[in-house]
Structure formats: structure tokens, C-alpha cells
Amino acid sequence: MAALAAGDDIMADMAPARLQVIGSSDGTWKATGRDRSRSQGRLGGFFATAFNKSDGSDKAETKQDDLEDVLASYTQNGIPDYPNLLSFQKRSSDDASLYQLEEHWHSLVDSSVLHKMSKRQKDQQEALWELLHTEEQYMTKLQVILDVFKCVLLNLQWNESPLLNEIDIDRLFNNIHDVYTVNARFWKSYFLPMLKEARSSRQGLCPDALKEGFIKFADMFGPYTRYCLDQVASTHYMKTTYKENEMFRIYVQVPSFLLCTSVNF
């Protein structure tokens, strides 16, 4: 998703709550411990600031009150899974630990092996590590888009009193789920085996493990064709909606607040 640097002045004043994916059947994102109470208080202040900008109509105020109640419940109880009726929509089911890396590639190499490595070998390890690190960060951001931003909006639209139904989810998110799926497949099929082998052998990262993946790259990453073709229109729709729809502006900022940092949508 294209970055939309909006609301940074509000976000900067908030100490973010630490979130975790709860290891239970619901798999929800929620604030934990002391941070939850602290975030609820600050979130209340955020709502007061945001909703004071009402146009004064009873209907608008009612919708805003409904949105406030629902989002506050997500802060306390976690974000629900995708609505049951949407069987084709699923959270990214991958364990977050799949995308956790060591601090540095040196941690994957025995000290005696590291000492004998030539500069060229070390440069190769640096390049492979940068590739892994970049992909790990990218996958984490895709998970946030799916499991937080998209999931929140779907639940709002399928709420007993639907909210933000005017937002076209397909136009807004493009085929981001397909993009996540192919990247997750590539990670599990090629990056992760290379990483596991390095952890086991302590000999460093082996580039040969990626060879087959890059040969098949064009065939595997077909969803990016549609994503790139539609991305300009999707970004335009997002920015226009953000400019014209106050409720949407509130929705965009709250999921960012629920996470550990200000996430540009």
C-alpha cells in the first residue's frame, strides 16, 4: 500500500502500546498489560479530538459514536477475525516466528569459519542477509495490512450497524492478499530453508538454496502484474477518500495507534 503520511502530529503525541498476536484460537491483536490501560486512556483523548470535528448533524454524530464504541472495544478486546460469512477472507495464518531473524548474519556462522572467510565471502553473506532482512520487514508490513487495517475495515462493514460501507475494499486494498500469499510461499520454499540450513550447519548462508526460486520467479509472482497495474488507481482512491471522508481518516489512524508505531497506510 502506498504510504500516506497523515495524522503524524496526533500519532507523535501518543506513546504506542505494545501489541502481540495472542496465541489462542481467536489470534487477535490486542494491547497487553499496563500498556492496554495506558492506551485506552490516550485513545479516549484521541477520540475526543477526532470526533469534535463533527459537522453537527445528529446522523453524523451517531455514526461517529458507533465508530468510537467499536474501535474502543477492539483496543480492549483485540481485533476480531474476518467476519464468518467471508469464508474466502482469512488472516495471514503464518506464525510470526517464521519471519524472525537474528541480529546479524555473524550469529549464523561458527567463529572459526568466520575467521577464515575472505572479504568476497563476507560481502556475499552481507548481500544475502540484506535480502533476507528486507523480505522479513516486507512480510511483516503485509501482515499488518491484512490482519489489522483490512480486518478492522471488514469488521466495521459487517458490524450489526454497518460502518464505512461506502468504502470499496477491493479498490482500496487491490489484490494485496494474493501478493502476501506468493511472498509467503517464496519465503517458506527458499528463504526459510536457506536460513534453517545456516542455523544448523553454522557455515553461513548458501546462495545455491535460492537458485531454483529465482528461476521460477516470473511464474510465481504473477499477482504483482495486477497489483502494479492497479496501484496508481488504488492510491488515488485512498488519498481521495482520506481527503473527503472524515470517518475514513479516523479509521486509518486508529489501527496505526493500536500497533507499536505509527504505520503509514
Side-chain angles (χ1 to χ4, degrees):
M1 304 294 290
L4 180 59
D8 288 343
D9 54 335
I10 297 175
M11 301 300 297
D13 293 335
M14 299 179 177
R18 291 191 300 272
L19 292 204
Q20 64 179 5
V21 180
I22 302 302
S24 60
S25 58
D26 63 359
T28 55
W29 294 78
K30 63 181 71 173
T32 58
R34 181 178 60 185
D35 292 317
R36 177 188 297 176
S37 299
R38 189 166 56 195
S39 68
Q40 286 175 324
R42 290 190 175 127
L43 192 58
F46 165 68
F47 281 140
T49 301
F51 291 109
N52 280 339
K53 298 179 180 179
S54 168
D55 62 5
S57 69
D58 292 340
K59 185 176 181 180
E61 288 179 356
T62 300
K63 286 288 187 181
Q64 291 174 347
D65 288 341
D66 290 343
L67 182 59
E68 175 181 0
D69 290 342
V70 174
L71 293 174
S73 73
Y74 292 169
T75 306
Q76 182 173 5
N77 303 315
I79 303 170
D81 206 343
Y82 284 105
N84 291 333
L85 292 176
L86 301 178
S87 59
F88 60 93
Q89 295 283 2
K90 299 294 182 184
R91 282 176 182 259
S92 56
S93 58
D94 295 329
D95 186 339
S97 63
L98 285 176
Y99 306 110
Q100 291 179 353
L101 296 176
E102 287 77 1
E103 289 295 325
H104 197 275
W105 67 265
H106 285 182
S107 301
L108 301 172
V109 184
D110 186 87
S111 58
S112 61
V113 175
L114 180 62
H115 181 72
K116 295 178 182 178
M117 278 186 172
S118 66
K119 182 180 183 304
R120 182 176 180 178
Q121 289 174 318
K122 290 180 180 179
D123 289 344
Q124 183 184 65
Q125 293 297 303
E126 288 284 357
L128 290 169
W129 187 251
E130 182 178 355
L131 185 60
L132 276 169
H133 182 67
T134 301
E135 187 68 11
E136 175 266 330
Q137 289 184 318
Y138 181 58
M139 293 301 297
T140 299
K141 290 176 181 178
L142 290 178
Q143 284 185 313
V144 169
I145 291 172
L146 287 173
D147 293 349
V148 181
F149 285 100
K150 189 174 183 180
C151 192
V152 165
L153 184 55
L154 281 168
N155 275 285
L156 290 173
Q157 293 187 345
W158 285 79
N159 194 33
E160 290 183 5
S161 300
L163 298 165
L164 292 173
N165 264 3
E166 69 276 14
I167 305 301
D168 187 329
I169 286 185
D170 289 336
R171 291 179 66 189
L172 182 64
F173 289 97
N174 205 332
N175 65 330
I176 195 69
H177 194 279
D178 294 335
V179 168
Y180 174 84
T181 298
V182 297
N183 277 275
R185 185 183 305 135
F186 194 89
W187 178 274
K188 293 175 187 177
S189 299
Y190 303 105
F191 282 126
L192 190 57
M194 178 180 70
L195 191 56
K196 287 183 175 180
E197 175 60 27
R199 288 167 175 165
S200 175
S201 69
R202 309 287 297 165
Q203 299 295 307
L205 298 163
C206 179
D208 290 343
L210 302 179
K211 181 179 179 180
E212 181 182 354
F214 283 108
I215 291 175
K216 297 179 177 179
F217 193 87
D219 294 331
M220 292 184 65
F221 284 81
Y224 273 94
T225 301
R226 176 190 161 188
Y227 181 84
C228 293
L229 288 173
D230 293 345
Q231 183 58 15
V232 173
S234 179
T235 301
H236 176 74
Y237 176 71
M238 177 188 64
K239 290 184 177 181
T240 301
T241 304
Y242 186 91
K243 181 179 180 181
E244 300 175 353
N245 190 320
E246 181 180 359
M247 298 271 284
F248 181 76
R249 291 197 295 272
I250 296 168
Y251 147 75
V252 167
Q253 294 180 42
V254 170
S256 298
F257 175 75
L258 287 172
L259 294 170
C260 300
T261 186
S262 176
V263 179
N264 290 328
F265 185 52

